[in-house]
Amino acid sequence: MRWSCPYTRRIEMDAIRMLNTLQTNANYLEQVKRERGDPQVQLEAMKGFLERSGLKVEDLDQLNIIHVTGTKGKGSTCAFTERILRNYGLKTGFYSSPHLVQVRERIRINGQPISKELFSKYFWQVYNRLEETKDPGHTSMPAYFRFLTIMAFHVFLQEKVDLAVVEVGIGGAYDCTNIIRKPIVCGVSSLGIDHTSILGDTIEKIAWQKGGIFKPGVPAFTVLQPERPLEVLRERAKQSPCPLYLCPDLDAFEEVAKALQLGLAGEHQRSNATLALQLSRAWLQQQGYQGTEELKDLQPGAELLRKRSVPLAPVFRPSGSMVQGLQDTEWLGRTQVLQHGAVTWYIDGAHTTSSVQACVRWFRQAALNKEKPVDGSEVRVLLFNATGDRDAAALLKLLLPCQFDYAVFCPNFTEVSAVGNADQQNFNVTLENVLTRCLENQKQWNGLMEEKVGQDPWLSHPMQVEGVGRLLKPDPLRSPLLFVPTAERPLNSNSLVFPCISHALQWITQGRDPHFQAPATKGLHLHPVAGSGAVLLQEAAAIRVLVTGSLHLVGGVLKLLDQSLSQ
């Protein structure tokens, strides 16, 4: 018998609230730091949790796994790969992180998040088994990400998927997904600097971590990397040992087929697509599928690449299923455009130096391709947040060429109160802490703008008003949208801080986005900076908003702009 909707949602929310008690991702990262000297300590602990849940690592061999890591683009690569293989009529599982709106997004079957019923069923099944096998001498429950990883394996095995695409959480060598013994194929997307406190502070150290997913005899593919990290990957493959191949550019495939259309926008998605093609073909070949013609004589630019220490993967004629899969791929929150009346949202969860650079290229091209308002009144707004150990100043500096009229900063909370929003609760931070970080981000932006003006005495902001750019601090005794200026002098930038995403969107949209329902806020009083900007936003023919810096911020924005994602 099917549960009624209210009952189903209540059962699901009970599961999510219990899951959130394991959420301590910050504690998990600290645990990783403590255990990183001996990866076996962490992996053995994960194996222990898996066995207590009723599975053995040998059971995972049945899942025909494609294991993917990288710094930038690993999620997009997984999305391309999953969509291609689904086009072959295969039942696919897909495990990814983080989720944007609902935690169920992390565990997908045939491209769709598992249902509320399935989520509740498998959550309690795993939770109760772990509860029943508690050992007083050890941690009784795995942390949030470890738990979801174990739960995903249970889902995929019991739902009998033909294959599982598994995205690494952090790094590779010490990641809890690395209990996988025998994947069919492994992939490494573009490498860069991220999670330095865990993975190391150089790209070579990070490459060593990523190469930790290589398994003996299992083919691995990577995209064009800087020479030194590529050499580290080659050494890791040699130690494994496993064959490692370098993916040719997507241009090579387009020499033998018509131009490939990608469902994900941005030039940087081309390397993710070529990696997905190689992973898909390798998986199909390992499983005995035919249908891709290798074209050994057509490898543009191959001579240069052959001089590298890693052999070039073959160019082949993509099958119709591959071509269509690339075109049909959807991956929310990555180079996504939403046209909502006068407001156009450009949404990308870029949060590393290289990904923000790619985001800027995409945004500038996408915004330039838009037809300009007849009267020229266009307002550009940046909505930004950065978390963890990321260098917000470095990321913000990269965003300067976009020429924003306003910069808006807010935490990743959709509302000031998280009540009723269990999917996006974060027990590891307080409102005070995240607001302080937002104020620091705002100060960095103001400094960059002041420096920019100082370099060019003729440069003035087109919308400069008195009081703009002062540090704005929340007054907890009044409306949550009220900010009072400090005594700091005005700067040549228009920047504001809001205590949550909802209030930030309320100011940015000014009631002009038909899809966004602003919350009722009583006794609302705005600082003059926000008031003067509101007039310009109300009168502009076009408002273009770039949302970036954090996938969690992107998730909160999408939740408010597209109500269907919460259903």
Side-chain angles (χ1 to χ4, degrees), residues 24-40:
T24 54
N25 190 50
N27 291 345
Y28 168 67
L29 295 182
E30 286 301 317
Q31 185 180 31
V32 172
K33 293 176 193 176
R34 290 195 303 270
E35 297 172 350
R36 65 181 175 181
D38 183 1
Q40 290 307 313

Side-chain angles (χ1 to χ4, degrees), residues 238-505:
K238 185 178 177 181
Q239 293 165 7
S240 184
C242 72
L244 175 65
Y245 303 99
L246 188 64
C247 297
D249 293 337
L250 200 62
D251 296 350
F253 292 92
E254 293 177 328
E255 289 290 326
V256 301
K258 62 181 181 180
L260 296 170
Q261 302 298 315
L262 304 184
L264 305 182
E267 187 68 20
H268 58 288
Q269 293 293 354
R270 292 176 65 81
S271 69
N272 301 328
T274 190
L275 178 55
L277 285 172
Q278 297 290 351
L279 293 174
S280 303
R281 181 173 185 265
W283 189 94
L284 290 165
Q285 286 184 325
Q286 292 281 335
Q287 298 300 304
Y289 286 77
Q290 301 299 322
T292 55
E293 176 190 357
E294 186 174 328
L295 300 164
K296 297 179 180 178
D297 299 330
L298 294 168
Q299 297 185 357
E303 284 302 322
L304 177 63
L305 293 175
R306 284 196 190 100
K307 294 177 182 178
R308 293 177 174 270
S309 55
V310 177
L312 194 69
V315 177
F316 56 89
R317 190 182 303 280
S319 68
S321 295
M322 290 177 171
V323 173
Q324 195 62 45
L326 292 177
Q327 184 173 332
D328 293 344
T329 299
E330 295 180 353
W331 195 226
L332 295 183
R334 286 79 171 178
T335 58
Q336 183 178 0
V337 180
L338 296 176
Q339 181 71 58
H340 288 182
V343 186
T344 306
W345 301 92
Y346 300 85
I347 302 173
D348 188 68
H351 52 273
T352 67
T353 301
S354 55
S355 61
V356 169
Q357 287 173 328
C359 172
V360 167
R361 288 193 293 270
W362 162 72
F363 172 74
R364 295 184 73 183
Q365 183 179 18
L368 284 173
N369 286 339
K370 283 285 183 179
E371 189 174 334
K372 298 295 180 185
V374 177
D375 62 1
S377 58
E378 174 183 301
V379 178
R380 289 188 180 186
V381 182
L382 169 66
L383 179 57
F384 180 90
N385 191 35
T387 60
D389 57 7
R390 296 183 176 92
D391 186 349
L395 301 183
L396 288 169
K397 189 171 185 177
L398 295 172
L399 291 162
L400 285 177
C402 296
Q403 298 180 325
F404 294 106
D405 300 303
Y406 289 95
V408 177
F409 303 90
C410 69
N412 294 333
F413 302 147
T414 52
E415 305 288 348
V416 175
S417 171
V419 175
N421 191 21
D423 285 283
Q424 295 183 318
Q425 278 186 328
N426 187 341
F427 293 156
N428 302 313
V429 295
T430 66
L431 179 60
E432 182 180 1
N433 288 340
V434 294
L435 272 177
T436 299
R437 179 69 183 266
C438 289
L439 290 165
E440 291 170 355
N441 293 343
Q442 183 201 34
K443 188 173 184 179
Q444 296 280 6
W445 178 262
N446 290 344
L448 289 168
M449 292 301 294
E450 187 175 45
E451 181 181 321
K452 182 178 178 182
V453 172
Q455 290 172 352
D456 185 352
W458 298 102
L459 180 66
S460 61
H461 197 283
M463 300 181 186
Q464 186 178 345
V465 294
E466 178 63 25
V468 166
R470 298 179 181 182
L471 287 180
L472 303 178
K473 296 187 177 180
D475 183 349
L477 301 179
R478 302 181 68 182
S479 163
L481 197 54
L482 172 66
F483 290 82
V484 293
T486 67
E488 298 194 18
R489 63 190 179 86
L491 300 173
N492 284 328
S493 66
N494 289 344
S495 60
L496 290 165
V497 173
F498 292 92
C500 66
I501 298 170
S502 177
H503 290 157
L505 298 194

Side-chain angles (χ1 to χ4, degrees), residues 12 67 76 87 89 125 141 179 197 228 257 272 278 289 306 358 368 380 391 413 489 537 564:
E12 181 208 17
H67 203 190
S76 297
N87 273 6
Q125 182 185 105
M141 284 287 174
I179 60 171
S197 61
R228 287 185 297 176
N272 301 328
Q278 297 290 351
Y289 286 77
R306 284 196 190 100
L368 284 173
R380 289 188 180 186
D391 186 349
F413 302 147
R489 63 190 179 86
L537 289 165
S564 67

Side-chain angles (χ1 to χ4, degrees), residues 47 57-61 65 177-183 215-216 218:
K47 290 176 186 176
V57 289
E58 292 84 357
D59 296 327
L60 307 185
D61 299 347
I65 290 170
T177 64
N178 208 28
I179 60 171
I180 298 166
R181 298 187 320 155
K182 295 180 180 179
K215 300 297 186 298
V218 175

